[in-house]
Each structure stands twice: as structure tokens, then as C-alpha cells.
Amino acid sequence: MRKTALLSVLLVLLLAGTSWAVDFDELFGGDLLVELEVDEGALAPEEALLVQDRLDLGGSYNFSLRASRTFRGDTEPEDRFRASLDSQLYLDARPDPNFRAFGKVGLGYDASGGEDAFKSKLLELFADFNYDNKVFFRAGKQNVKWGVGYFFSPADIINIGRIDPLDPEAEREGPVTLKVHYPKGSSNFYLYSLFDGVKELKEIALAPKLEFVVGKTEFGLGGFYRQDEPPRLMATVSSSFGEVGFFGEAVLSFGTERGFLEPRGPVYEVVERDGVFLQATAGGMYRFKDDTGRFDLAATVQYYFNGEGYRDQEGIKKVRLALLNQQLPPVVNPLKLGSVALVGSGRHYAAGALNWNRILGSKLSASLLLTANLSDQSGLIQGTLRLPAVGKITPASAWAPISVPPAASSGRRGAPVRCLPR
């Protein structure tokens, strides 16, 4: 195979539709067109971009100092200080355009000490390969983008980690899976085989998913099946109208592994329930930035309906309060309490965030976060002011009043109370 130098120059002139004639040898004083021998085994330019002759090693490092003072009613303020180190290291190898290996680990150290002061965790370890550049595979532990929700994502039915509404953009732990991806036009077909906790072949879970686009709207349909677990179906939608983005999710679970509290006179019994359970969420995002850069605002709001939650929160409040005070809960079969969702037991949740970047053109930025369990009227409001960075140091100040439901407010001092779904 032979190629001719200066082909790109000639191509540009031809595309421009120019008609002309010139003697290149006379113009440049010698032979200009030179024939080059090309190695038949050489990679195409687009394939060469996917190949690395060496390993790519990188990561991130964070050293944080946190000081806080907590006020609880008439009790003395509680002061806390925490120094911590966190790091991520990754290794990326692409020896061939059709193969890639990637691994990432997380390291953490709490300077306050304790048995679990040092922690290490495998975050990702997978290999990418394909069949005839048409069907693509990823095998190993990997992060999976399944749902479209920001604060809550019930449609994310395969990731191990769950969204923390207080830190919705934090990386979530993914499963050990074999992902098969077949793109067709603007549609994508996926099949996940999930292996976490699998000891027998019949325990492997399967999760198919389809993504397709209609106009400016993207839809997703998927499911989850594992023997002896409730099967689930999910649907997602995301779109935009002008500067406003919309998203929504819905999940149908044909059964549940949760236990539920049923009143039995002055006490409660943990029972099982059959049926179809619905979880759904909807939200929107808006970004505004004026021409001067003085107002750079971003807002996100979201509502979440949890069909596995309680309409009446009285029983779960009594059980939670007894456990916080290290007392015997009012349950006739306490050995089954492990199946009861003591956290995330509400039926209705809401969350919102407002960010103001570079306030009035300054180097200050601020954010306001609200999360609420509408079922028991508990929640949290957190305001954060990010100060100008000094080199690699980024100072910030936060204020977070917490509203705790009355039945839990008399818990023992220092007991953590979370009112958010997991």
C-alpha cells in the first residue's frame, strides 16, 4: 500500500471547489511529491490514539481538618475535631486498541485513631474488550451509571453504594459484573451479569437495560432478576426545556425483603408483606448566568416517593427511640428487627440545593442544601460558604440546623439520628 505526501493540502483545495493548475516542481524548485512506504501492520490514526506504550499511573490526595460545635437544646455544646487523609490511586493500561485494563483503590486514615483508623478499599478493577468492534464488554468491579436521579435514585438497582443526599456527587461503589454493550444507532442495549455474594451458578443476577432517544428526550427501561429475590422493573426519563432539565424514575418491585411493623395492642410485630411496591422520583435542574458573571446560579430540586415506607410513623419512631436509648424495643419478635428499615422508613422525601458560584464576581461561593423526610417532619438545612483558595488549601464554613421528629428528640446525648433514605 502506498500513500502520497501533501494529500491533505490537495484535499482541502478540492473541497473548496477551486479550479487551477500549477507545476509543483517548478514552484518549489524540485521534486515535491514523494512516495512513502507504509507498514502494513501499522495502526490507523484513530486506533493509535487508544494505545499507550506505558502504564498511566495517577490519583488524588486530600488532607482535611474539620472543627464543629453542636448545640442540643439546654445541654452543653459539644465540640469535635477531626483530621483525616484520603487518597485514590489508579492504574490504566491500553496496550491494544481493543483491550484496556483499569484499577483504582481508595485509602483513608483517621488521625483520631481507633481500630479502624486506616481503611483501604478496591474501588474499580476491570478489563475492556470487544467483538469485531460491534459488541463491547467490561468485566470486573466497575462503577455503573444506571439511574438519572440526583439526590435519590430508586432506579439504581445494581450498584452496591447508594447516593448520600448530603453528598450526591460522591463516587458510589459499583458491583462485580460482566457488562455487555451493543450500540445501535442512538440506542444502547446492555446486559449485566452480577456476581457479588455469588457462591453457586444459580445465584448470578441478571439486569438487562435499554436506552433510546426520542427527540430531545432520553428513555431507559431495565429490570433485575435473581433467584429467591423480588424481581424489579425500572424506567427512567431525562429531557430539557430551554435552560431547565427534567428527570424522573420509577421502579416496580414484585415483593420485598423488608419486614414491617404491625401494631398488636401496645406493642408491634415484625411481619412480611406481599404485593407490588412502587418507588418513584422526579426533579429538575436550572442554571442561570448573566453576561457580567456576577450571578452564576444553579438550582436542583427533587421529590421521592417510597412505596415501602410507612404512612404512620408512630411505630418506627418508638422502636428507633428505644434503640437510641439502649432499651428493649416494644416488639414481640425482636430477633426479626434486622429486616426492618429503621432508616429510610418514610414514604415522602424532598431535597433541594442552590449554588451561587463567584458571588457578585468575587472569589466567594456559597451553597444551600435542604433534605427532608416529609413523613415525620424531620430534615436538615446546610449552608456552606467556600472561601478563596490559598494555593492548594480550600477553606469552607458550614452551618447545619437539624430538625428531629419529637419522638426521637429525647434520645441520649450524642446519639446520631439520620432521617434520610438509604
Side-chain angles (χ1 to χ4, degrees), residues 356-419:
W356 189 356
N357 298 315
R358 301 186 65 85
I359 300 173
L360 298 176
S362 69
K363 295 183 179 180
L364 299 176
S365 297
S367 63
L368 185 65
L369 172 68
L370 165 67
T371 60
N373 180 345
L374 305 179
S375 299
D376 64 6
Q377 293 81 51
S378 65
L380 178 146
I381 300 175
Q382 177 176 288
T384 303
L385 177 64
R386 289 179 292 277
L387 306 176
V390 181
K392 295 293 184 180
I393 301 175
T394 305
S397 176
W399 171 75
I402 302 175
S403 172
V404 179
S409 60
S410 57
R412 62 185 178 88
R413 186 175 183 271
V417 179
R418 287 187 62 92
C419 55

Side-chain angles (χ1 to χ4, degrees), residues 12-84:
V12 170
L13 293 172
L14 288 173
L15 291 176
T18 305
S19 176
W20 54 280
V22 65
D23 187 342
F24 280 96
D25 291 344
E26 180 180 348
L27 181 62
F28 290 94
D31 293 335
L32 177 64
L33 303 181
V34 180
E35 294 183 339
L36 302 175
E37 292 289 344
V38 178
D39 185 3
E40 293 286 348
L43 295 174
E46 65 274 11
E47 292 182 333
L49 293 175
L50 301 177
V51 176
Q52 296 174 179
D53 294 332
R54 58 184 177 81
L55 296 177
D56 185 11
L57 177 65
S60 62
Y61 169 77
N62 179 58
F63 172 56
S64 64
L65 302 174
R66 298 173 182 265
S68 65
R69 168 165 284 198
T70 304
F71 299 87
R72 290 188 178 90
D74 298 330
T75 62
E76 289 293 323
E78 180 181 352
D79 294 318
R80 290 186 178 182
F81 178 83
R82 182 172 181 262
S84 61

Side-chain angles (χ1 to χ4, degrees), residues 46 56 74 94 104 120 145 148 153 172 191 193 195 226 255 273 303 309 331 335 373 377 389 413:
E46 65 274 11
D56 185 11
D74 298 330
R94 302 171 187 254
K104 182 165 63 173
S120 61
K145 178 63 175 176
V148 295
S153 185
R172 283 170 281 167
L191 177 62
S193 301
F195 305 103
R226 173 178 279 160
R273 289 182 184 174
Y303 165 77
V331 177
L335 295 180
N373 180 345
Q377 293 81 51
R413 186 175 183 271

Side-chain angles (χ1 to χ4, degrees), residues 214-336:
V214 179
K216 295 170 54 178
T217 303
E218 181 178 14
F219 297 91
L221 299 173
F224 175 90
Y225 174 79
R226 173 178 279 160
Q227 190 177 40
D228 299 327
E229 288 189 19
R232 278 164 276 182
L233 297 176
M234 56 79 70
T236 65
V237 60
S238 58
S239 188
S240 63
F241 182 77
E243 299 296 325
V244 181
F246 301 95
F247 56 86
E249 301 180 1
V251 178
L252 287 177
S253 178
F254 299 88
T256 179
E257 295 180 299
R258 285 188 175 187
F260 295 86
L261 294 175
E262 291 283 356
R264 299 288 186 265
V267 295
Y268 295 85
E269 180 183 3
V270 179
V271 300
E272 297 180 356
R273 289 182 184 174
D274 297 324
V276 179
F277 297 85
L278 170 67
Q279 293 177 308
T281 186
M285 299 179 175
Y286 175 71
R287 176 77 180 271
F288 171 80
K289 185 175 183 180
D290 66 348
D291 295 335
T292 65
R294 299 169 67 86
F295 293 92
D296 185 358
L297 304 172
T300 305
V301 294
Q302 187 175 355
Y303 165 77
Y304 169 47
F305 171 77
N306 176 23
E308 294 183 339
Y310 293 90
R311 291 189 180 92
D312 182 4
Q313 294 281 299
E314 193 62 31
I316 200 70
K317 288 179 182 178
K318 291 180 179 179
V319 172
R320 189 187 296 129
L321 177 60
L323 294 175
L324 288 175
N325 290 325
Q326 298 181 347
Q327 299 173 352
L328 186 65
V331 177
V332 296
N333 48 352
L335 295 180
K336 292 187 176 181

